Amino acid sequence: MRLIFLGPPGAGKGTQARELALEWGVPQIATGDMLRDAMAAGTPLGAEAKSYYDRGALVPDEVIVRLIRERLRAPDAGRGFILDGFPRTLPQAEALDRLLAELGQSLDRVVYFGVAESELVRRLTGRRVCRSCGRTFHVVSAPPARDGACDRCGGALYQRVDDGEDTVRNRLRVYESQTAPLLAFYEGRGLLARVAGDGPIDGVRADARKAAGGPR
Ligand code: ADP
Ligand code: ADP
Ligand code: ZN
């Protein structure tokens, strides 16, 4: 099972990928999570990414492609994966094609989550993330049982620096100009399956499950 979860920031890619990757026994490969880990650890990659990340701009393709190249070569990715937040530009999508060809692999499906812009802003500005395990909550639509603490691991919840309203609006513009063209790219290959991402989390999950495995 080799999938891409595609969609604007806040569409629910991470929320769905985290659960479905567990269910399917494949890794969730989330470039945003990898960059946050690198920034928290203070690695050279983290230092390079920070200025882009903080203002909601994309990290340069070559940096991201290097990161993904390494990750896809890890043994656990041999059984399949869900790519969450990658590719985000046409050059990244083309680099992914070359990488998979090198590995003798191919994509099964690209699942696109569509959500109205006003709802994206609401979701992103209310998002809270667990400092320890990365699980995502929402102050209104997916609140933790105990205020400020992760349901799964008890870790402290925080608001991402790029989830303030101004940066969110910038990220949505970046998505429209740089990432949205990937829809036509994958549709042309017959790989695209669309899911309405607006409904409740469980309903979206059922649709994503179908879209990932059902007929195109
Ligand atoms: P969201 O889940 O809200 O869409 P991510 O966690 O996927 O956000 O990404 C956060 C930030 O990390 C992006 O705004 C960008 O700066 C950087 N980033 C993540 N993935 C990529 C990528 N594939 N290409 C370039 N930048 C990326
Ligand atoms: P993405 O990875 O696409 O940027 P997330 O999975 O991090 O998006 O979700 C963004 C925010 O929206 C989080 O706060 C999450 O709890 C919330 N969320 C995700 N899916 C839904 C949904 N179907 N309905 C309401 N809120 C949702
Ligand atoms: Zn946690």
Side-chain angles (χ1 to χ4, degrees), residues 1 7 20 23 43 63 67 83 88-89 93 103-104 108 111 117 130 146 162 165 184 188 191 196 208 211:
M1 185 159 260
L20 291 171
E23 187 177 312
T43 66
V63 175
L67 191 66
L83 293 176
R88 258 176 154 95
T89 65
L103 295 167
D108 295 314
V111 180
E117 172 149 346
C130 174
R146 197 156 54 84
D162 59 337
E165 183 155 351
L191 288 175

Side-chain angles (χ1 to χ4, degrees), residues 129-135 137 149-157:
V129 182
C130 174
R131 186 81 69 190
S132 315
C133 75
R135 195 187 155 98
F137 298 85
C150 176
D151 286 356
R152 183 162 297 166
C153 78
L157 304 186

Side-chain angles (χ1 to χ4, degrees), residues 75-121:
D76 68 331
R79 285 175 293 122
F81 48 72
I82 301 177
L83 293 176
D84 163 12
F86 175 90
R88 258 176 154 95
T89 65
L90 279 172
Q92 288 181 17
E94 286 158 2
L96 175 63
D97 278 347
R98 288 192 295 273
L99 261 173
L100 291 176
E102 281 170 40
L103 295 167
Q105 300 175 355
S106 59
L107 288 172
D108 295 314
R109 199 68 55 97
V110 177
V111 180
Y112 166 75
F113 297 82
V115 175
E117 172 149 346
S118 55
E119 169 68 2
L120 294 173
V121 173

